[in-house]
Amino acid sequence: MTADNIEQPDNQSPQPKPLPGQIYIRPGIDDRPDLDKALTPEDKKAIARLAVHIEREQPDDSAAHAETQAVRMSTTGSPAVATAIPPTPIADASSAFLDMRDPMVAADGSTPTKPQVNRLTVSFTLAALLRTAPWAMLNMVALPALVDRLVGNSLGGGHGTPLSAEASRMAGAAPLPWLAMIIAIGSVIGLIANAIVGVSSDHTRTTVGRRTPWIIGGGLLSALFVLPLGALGNVAALLFFWILLQITYAMLAAPLAAAFGERLPDKFREHAMRWRGVGLMVGQMLGVALGACGIAFGGGLPFGLTAIVFILAAFVPVLVWPKESSSESIAAVKYKFGPAIKSMLSLPTGDENAGFRRAYGARVAMMTGMSVMTVFQWLIVRHYVLAAWYMDVRSVATSAPAIWATCMAMMMLAIGTCAGAALAAGCSEQISEWCEARGVATRTVVVAACAVVAASIVIPLVLGVLLSVTVIDCGLFVYGVVSGFAFGMYDVFNQDVVAATIPDPRDNARYLAVFNVANTYGVVIACCLGVVAVMSAGYVALLAIAILAVLVAALLTPKTA
């Protein structure tokens, strides 16, 4: 009973006073004064001055998510690392499995339903395929073929008279320095653009979300800047548009990587990661195959087809996945790009990071060797592997062979590499269990994979003296399968090595962000060494450098506990 219960209307007779204890006054409720009436205006102003201003929620930094960095690692390496189950997955300190949070809730706070999870999985798989295919088409087919055409090498140009061996070597080496320069500068610009776009998209405030505007804009601008490439007549203009493409492609790729870590709950992320790896694998194969077919059957460089796929990459993911929530509620804060770039380029110091620095050096060496074979793949096939066959056809006064021979060889390489990566993804779990049962260290598998990659490079080295196109194509297919399988195994098991060298698992995101920069360093070093090697001793020296770099990676791989 309260005081309210005993109040009587005025028209009723007076009631006796309540007995002691009959009225219960609730502390803090019934005896609470009305502050609006009890406080003076001066008191209210004094209290307002003491009020604490609560900031709105700040956007999460995508660079601080280990999952985002792992996605970027799988993009720059073998797709097998995204499709397979590594021995020790990179731990994410923000994962719901490490505390009492609900694993069905995504990092952005949403709880997608089962149909929405399926839509997210499909969208990221299609996004991986659609953004990888045109990029592989450009880097491995269209750009090298365009540089080869602009420099005006004499091989395959329609000359009826045979060339001397020295003239053929110099003619085949002429496009390589220009291609190396474009790729090296573009890689550095792309690295910086990824950091800037990542920070900018983290703080984007729109009604359609943080990532969607960047994805659509990046895909459309990439399509716009890729169209003029086929009409360019000099390397300087090609370099300019290639730099623009690096920036616009970062606008497409970086937000997709961040969205993958934000929108998928921990419960379903591994399943989606595998399908995304399948998309990467198929995208790389289709990109090279479509580019080669476009040149072989269409006669022109496939820049129009590339632009169409970029447009699809801009719209398909955002139309398939559930609509991204508005980001207008996040705080509008000032941010700087310098700290993000500096933290990405700063290699950790101290004795506790000695193993990580060694793993970092091994990755640089491995990516140097692999980049030598991928960046210059078109030129290696056209001016070394098929060089003897081209010369033999010319020596009998036959008209110059069509470009289809090089295109077919590139297609066989792409199909073989995809098959090898798929085989590595399928076998990695069984090999991991076998190693664990017999006490075989992960480093042993990594070193063995490096040795197989180095041995596989001998195959194109030998194919350069053959004259049969059929044998050459079969040999390149075998090389693609072996090297794709070995590099896939290296990437999968090297993740375990890298994870073991990180002193504090809570810093996985920061260390992986630094580790991913090693891929860019490998590309730049490969371009520099490739120019020196080919201009000095031809493509034989280029292949020898690739073998040496991969063996150095095996020697630098640190031991794990």
Side-chain angles (χ1 to χ4, degrees):
M1 178 182 292
T2 65
D4 297 335
N5 299 124
I6 64 172
E7 291 181 359
Q8 302 294 331
D10 296 337
N11 58 355
Q12 293 186 3
S13 60
Q15 298 293 327
K17 293 183 179 180
L19 298 174
Q22 194 173 4
I23 299 176
Y24 176 71
I25 299 176
R26 296 168 293 181
I29 299 177
D30 296 324
D31 60 353
R32 184 174 58 187
D34 187 350
L35 297 181
D36 288 335
K37 298 178 181 179
L39 297 178
T40 64
E42 291 76 12
D43 294 334
K44 294 178 182 180
K45 292 180 180 179
I47 293 176
R49 288 195 296 268
L50 298 176
V52 177
H53 178 66
I54 300 176
E55 294 284 349
R56 289 180 294 174
E57 181 184 359
Q58 299 293 334
D60 294 331
D61 186 2
S62 61
H65 293 163
E67 188 63 39
T68 301
Q69 302 306 326
V71 169
R72 290 174 178 168
M73 179 188 295
S74 66
T75 301
T76 53
S78 171
V81 74
T83 312
I85 300 177
T88 306
I90 299 289
D92 186 0
S94 63
S95 173
F97 291 118
L98 301 181
D99 53 30
M100 299 299 293
R101 287 177 297 146
D102 187 358
M104 307 291 286
V105 179
D108 61 358
S110 63
T111 306
T113 62
K114 184 176 180 180
Q116 289 177 332
V117 170
N118 292 335
R119 289 173 60 186
L120 286 169
T121 303
V122 172
S123 66
F124 284 116
T125 302
L126 293 175
L129 190 154
L130 292 173
R131 75 175 180 85
T132 303
W135 203 238
M137 196 185 307
L138 283 174
N139 282 272
M140 304 186 71
V141 177
L143 180 66
L146 179 59
V147 173
D148 206 3
R149 176 183 297 180
L150 289 179
V151 173
N153 74 90
S154 55
L155 286 179
H159 300 282
T161 58
L163 300 174
S164 64
E166 180 64 20
S168 299
R169 184 180 72 82
M170 295 307 298
L176 191 138
W178 300 105
L179 177 63
M181 178 191 68
I182 294 172
I183 294 294
I185 296 176
S187 298
V188 175
I189 297 297
L191 176 65
I192 299 174
N194 267 284
I196 294 176
V197 170
V199 175
S200 300
S201 64
D202 287 340
H203 297 82
T204 299
R205 303 168 65 243
T206 66
T207 56
V208 294
R210 292 189 287 169
R211 315 300 179 186
T212 299
W214 290 91
I215 295 171
I216 295 177
L220 292 179
L221 289 176
S222 296
L224 178 65
F225 292 139
V226 81
L227 287 176
L229 294 180
L232 299 178
N234 60 81
V235 177
L238 178 59
L239 175 61
F240 173 75
F241 279 95
W242 188 251
I243 290 175
L244 294 179
L245 269 174
Q246 295 291 328
I247 299 173
T248 57
Y249 184 74
M251 294 169 58
L252 173 66
L256 279 172
F260 186 90
E262 292 171 353
R263 304 199 61 186
L264 279 166
D266 294 339
K267 181 74 173 179
F268 310 103
R269 194 174 296 166
E270 183 177 301
H271 174 73
M273 190 78 171
R274 293 181 183 177
W275 277 104
R276 181 181 172 276
V278 172
L280 291 172
M281 199 179 301
V282 176
Q284 289 185 3
M285 180 189 68
L286 284 181
V288 177
L290 290 176
C293 288
I295 296 177
F297 299 107
L301 297 177
F303 293 113
L305 179 61
T306 306
I308 294 175
V309 182
F310 269 132
I311 295 175
L312 293 176
F315 288 104
V316 169
V318 299
L319 291 177
V320 174
W321 71 21
K323 184 179 181 296
E324 188 179 3
S325 58
S326 172
S327 61
E328 289 182 313
S329 61
I330 64 176
V333 297
K334 294 182 179 180
Y335 54 90
K336 298 180 179 179
F337 304 117
I341 298 175
K342 183 178 179 181
S343 63
M344 188 175 57
L345 299 177
S346 300
L347 192 63
T349 59
D351 295 338
E352 70 278 6
N353 294 309
F356 179 80
R357 291 195 297 271
R358 185 164 180 172
Y360 186 88
R363 182 67 176 182
V364 172
M366 185 66 180
M367 293 308 296
T368 298
M370 294 304 298
S371 297
V372 166
M373 300 302 297
T374 55
V375 170
F376 306 123
Q377 191 173 92
W378 175 275
L379 300 180
I380 291 173
V381 170
R382 180 164 172 77
H383 298 299
Y384 176 75
V385 176
L386 291 172
W389 180 74
Y390 273 88
M391 292 295 297
D392 182 69
V393 172
R394 290 171 181 278
S395 64
V396 295
T398 308
S399 61
I403 197 66
W404 64 264
T406 304
C407 296
M408 182 60 67
M410 293 293 294
M411 290 178 59
M412 297 300 292
L413 261 173
I415 296 172
T417 303
C418 181
L423 183 62
C427 297
S428 60
E429 187 175 4
Q430 290 77 8
I431 294 176
S432 176
E433 293 175 353
W434 182 87
C435 293
E436 184 178 358
R438 288 163 176 77
V440 179
T442 305
R443 181 182 185 273
T444 304
V445 181
V446 175
V447 172
C450 292
V452 175
V453 171
S456 68
I457 300 176
V458 178
I459 297 177
L461 194 65
V462 174
L463 293 177
V465 299
L466 301 179
L467 299 179
S468 172
V469 175
T470 303
V471 175
I472 290 174
D473 289 344
C474 292
L476 289 176
F477 175 79
V478 173
Y479 162 72
V481 172
V482 176
S483 62
F485 173 79
F487 184 54
M489 296 300 297
Y490 167 84
D491 249 0
V492 171
F493 285 87
N494 190 58
Q495 179 171 306
D496 186 41
V497 174
V498 175
T501 60
I502 299 177
D504 190 348
R506 293 173 296 183
D507 292 334
N508 279 343
R510 182 170 62 89
Y511 277 82
L512 290 180
V514 174
F515 189 79
N516 285 331
V517 180
N519 301 314
T520 301
Y521 287 155
V523 173
V524 174
I525 294 174
C527 291
C528 297
L529 293 179
V531 173
V532 175
V534 174
M535 300 306 293
S536 301
Y539 284 94
V540 174
L542 185 68
L543 299 177
I545 285 178
I547 295 174
L548 181 62
V550 173
L551 294 178
V552 169
L555 294 175
L556 291 178
T557 302
K559 295 181 180 179
T560 56

